[in-house]
Each structure stands twice: as structure tokens, then as C-alpha cells.
Amino acid sequence: MVGTEGSPRAMSDGHNTDLDQPVTDPGLEPHVERWADADQATGRRVYREILLMLGLVPVLAIAFVVLYFAVPRDATIHLGPLYMSAMSFSLGTTAGVAVLLIGLSLIQWGRQIMSDREWIQERHPLESSKDEREAFITEWKAGVEDSGVPRRKLLLGAAGGAVGMIALPALVTLADLGPKPGPGMRRATIERTIWAPGIRLVNDVTYLPIKAEEVEIGQLINAQPENLKDLEGVELQRAKAKSSILVVRMDPDSIKIPDSRKDWQVGGILSYSKICTHVGCPVNLWEQQTHHLLCPCHQSTFDLGDSGVVVFGPAARSLPQLPITVDDKGYLVARRDFTVPVGPSYFERDSRHDYKKGDN
């Protein structure tokens, strides 16, 4: 509402229109020096507190590693009616306190040592000019100076050491992902099965032993080692995945048996791994006339009448053959374990000495 001479007048609600305008220069409140800056003793005490917190982090990280190996995995801690895993409690406490100390030390550093002066940053175009870039470098150096690092050189090293050491517990727990897959571990696990000399071949459904004289020409039997029934749980599943076999009888005059495998068969009865050498699928499609065994997943085809060589498909290795014979009662038994690893190929797998077509 304007008066007769054009000067601002009070609004009808009692507010002055001048108060509704933006503040031209809000300014900054006067800077009040912190006690840690004003009193050298207090500043040194804060400095020592931060160093102490950061120095405890490596100790807790090492304690984490020691407890990881020292505390039994089945040990428990009882708190009245409640109980918890001793290992989980120990590892959680050491790792949690270490992370907490890093956080507290950084907060104390920012509040008590770094500069607490307020700065005004004016808005500017997205593209920085040369002068602005040079000004940024100058401000960066000033910020480094305000951080207190040049005057208290141990801070940055202590912080870096604390953050670096806190990664140690995480690296140690990677051991829970499983054993290191080195050559020795592979030879003791995935490259061997439970087949051994004298282990009977049994039907994989009835677990009845297979008598050689009862196997007919052209017949294919899914089989397992007799000692598989002694296993349980995960151990059973792992053993079954590697030891599954096929028993097939063919006319000896219609197949090729290399000299090195003359004693691996019994009157035309041969046994091969059931696990495809491509990606580990179970092969079970049997063509009696051609003696070919087809994998239904990716159509790899193996010739069981010629050492299990690949005649079609993506598989790169022959189907491993299990050496067999008969016991004193005429039942089929293994002569030994497979002489090459069963299952699919992998990066570390050395296939140079596997069986090839024409092996003799």
C-alpha cells in the first residue's frame, strides 16, 4: 500500500514491506577460536587421543586374525538364558571396535584439529577458467595446511595404517570360501574318486552287484561303486557326482581295444564315466548299433567301442574309462581308480596325456 507521496507504509497486517525483501549481505558470524587451538596442552591431548585410537586399530585387526584361528568353531558364550557363537562374538567385537575407532578418530580430527573457519563459495559457470584452476590449487594447499597434517605428520600415516589394517580381517575370512585350489588340493579332491582295487560295481538303483555272465551284448547299465552306500550327506553327493559310471557290453569283434587296455575289460564288458567331459552333464543316450553314447545337453557324442573318443560335439576329451575285472565269484570289480580325472575340463586341467583315438 503506497502513501500519497510514494513512500512505503505499513501493511494492514502490521508487517513492513522492507522486511519481505531478500537480505543483501547476510555476512558471517564472528569466528570464535576453539579451545584446542587456543590452548596448546589441549591441542596436544587431542592429537594424542586420535593417535591412540588409530594405533589400536592394527592391534584389533591382528587380534581378529589370531581369534579366527584360535577360537574353536563350536565354542559358545552363555549370557544367562542366551548363548552365542564364541567365534562370531570375538570377530564381531574386534572388527566392530576397530571400525568404530576409525570413525571416532576421524570425527575428532575434523572437529578439533582441522580448520573450523567458514568459507563462502560463490557460484560460477561449469567451465573453470585458468585463474579459477590456479585458485583451486591454492585453496587445496591451504586446506592441506588447515588439516593439521603438515604440523602433525603422524596423523596421515596413522590414518592410512589404520584403514589399511582394517582390511586384513576381511582378507583372512576369504579362507572360508573353501580350500586353496592348488595342484595338490585338486589331486586329492576333484581329480580322484572312491573307486579302488576290488570295489564291486553295483546297480545305481538296487545296489545289487553286477555279475559279468548276466550282462547281455548291447545292454547298458547305470552303476556306482559298492562303497558309496557307506557315505552320507554332502560327502555322499560329492562322491556320487564323480564316481557314477556306465557298464556296457559289446561284441569284442566289433570294437577296438588298445593294447594298453586289454585287461581293462571282461569279454567285451567295459565301464566308462557317466560324466560328460564338456560341462559335466550325465550322458546316457545309448546307440547299440553304432556304439555311440550321446550327451543330451550339448550333443557331445562318444564312441564307446573305440576308447570313448569324441566323434561329435563340443567335448574336447575322451570319456574316461574305468579299468575292471571280475572277482572270485564272477562279479565285476574295479582294478583301480580312473587313471585320468573325470568330469569337465577347466583352466588348470592338463589334458595333454589323456587318451586319444588310436591309443595303444
Side-chain angles (χ1 to χ4, degrees), residues 250 255-261 264 270-272 291 302-310 317-321 354-360:
M250 297 171 284
I255 61 177
K256 300 177 183 179
I257 301 178
D259 293 338
S260 59
R261 304 193 192 183
W264 287 23
L270 300 94
S271 177
Y272 289 92
H291 303 153
F302 306 89
D303 188 352
L304 301 191
D306 188 9
S307 305
V309 298
V310 181
R317 296 189 297 116
S318 301
L319 207 59
Q321 183 178 350
D354 282 6
Y355 310 120
K356 300 177 182 179
K357 189 170 183 177
D359 181 24
N360 52 52

Side-chain angles (χ1 to χ4, degrees), residues 52 163 200 251 286:
L52 176 62
V163 174
R200 283 183 174 179
D251 183 356
W286 171 235

Side-chain angles (χ1 to χ4, degrees), residues 105-184:
S105 65
L106 294 179
I107 293 173
Q108 191 73 338
W109 184 347
R111 293 182 59 187
Q112 301 295 339
I113 292 182
M114 294 184 69
S115 174
D116 66 338
R117 292 182 178 274
E118 294 186 65
W119 299 87
I120 297 177
Q121 182 179 10
E122 297 182 356
R123 294 183 178 181
H124 56 79
L126 294 178
E127 182 181 3
S128 300
S129 66
K130 180 179 179 181
D131 293 338
E132 289 172 332
R133 292 194 293 269
E134 293 177 351
F136 171 78
I137 295 175
T138 302
E139 292 179 5
W140 173 268
K141 293 179 178 179
V144 173
E145 182 68 27
D146 288 340
S147 69
V149 171
R151 292 178 288 113
R152 297 176 171 88
K153 299 183 182 300
L154 285 178
L155 279 175
L156 199 58
V163 174
M165 287 296 291
I166 199 62
L168 182 61
L171 293 176
V172 171
T173 55
L174 292 177
D176 278 343
L177 295 178
K180 182 180 178 181

